[in-house]
Amino acid sequence: MADADGIVPLDTLKTMCKYCDEHRGEVTCDDVYSMAGNVHGIAQVDRDSWKPGEVHQYEWMATSGEYMFIIFHVADDGREYWSSMSNSSGLKD
């Protein structure tokens, strides 16, 4: 979504980060969106041109500055599956 702000409560962000770390490769973007309370992450790519084989990066963050970037790959079925993640320190504690 073009107007997505990706802002979620810190506890939610920690839960999302822990879940994604524990379920690597199984998580879809829809799963993360649902865990975020239906808050869209800030897309780092243009959604209008998505095709299978591409990668998409999203950012979710807390108002206190902690963040989580997740990179998803687009499968042949058009769904986005977890590929890798980076986050601010302390989110997985």
Side-chain angles (χ1 to χ4, degrees), residues 59-87:
E59 177 185 20
W60 280 271
M61 69 201 90
T63 55
S64 52
E66 291 83 357
Y67 64 87
M68 177 175 69
F69 287 105
I70 303 178
I71 296 174
F72 297 93
H73 69 275
V74 182
D76 289 339
D77 65 6
R79 294 182 72 195
E80 299 165 287
Y81 291 91
W82 185 96
S83 183
S84 65
M85 179 176 72
S86 63
N87 54 271

Side-chain angles (χ1 to χ4, degrees), residues 9-61:
L10 180 57
D11 288 345
T12 299
L13 188 65
K14 285 182 176 184
T15 299
M16 292 164 57
C17 188
K18 183 177 180 184
Y19 181 86
C20 290
D21 192 49
E22 291 174 351
H23 296 89
R24 296 172 182 229
E26 302 170 17
V27 179
T28 67
C29 189
D30 291 338
D31 295 335
V32 178
Y33 171 71
S34 182
M35 280 186 282
N38 299 330
V39 172
H40 285 283
I42 301 171
Q44 308 295 304
V45 295
D46 182 4
R47 290 184 85 145
D48 294 335
S49 64
W50 289 3
K51 300 177 198 94
E54 291 183 346
V55 294
H56 302 156
Q57 178 175 311
Y58 296 93
E59 177 185 20
W60 280 271
M61 69 201 90

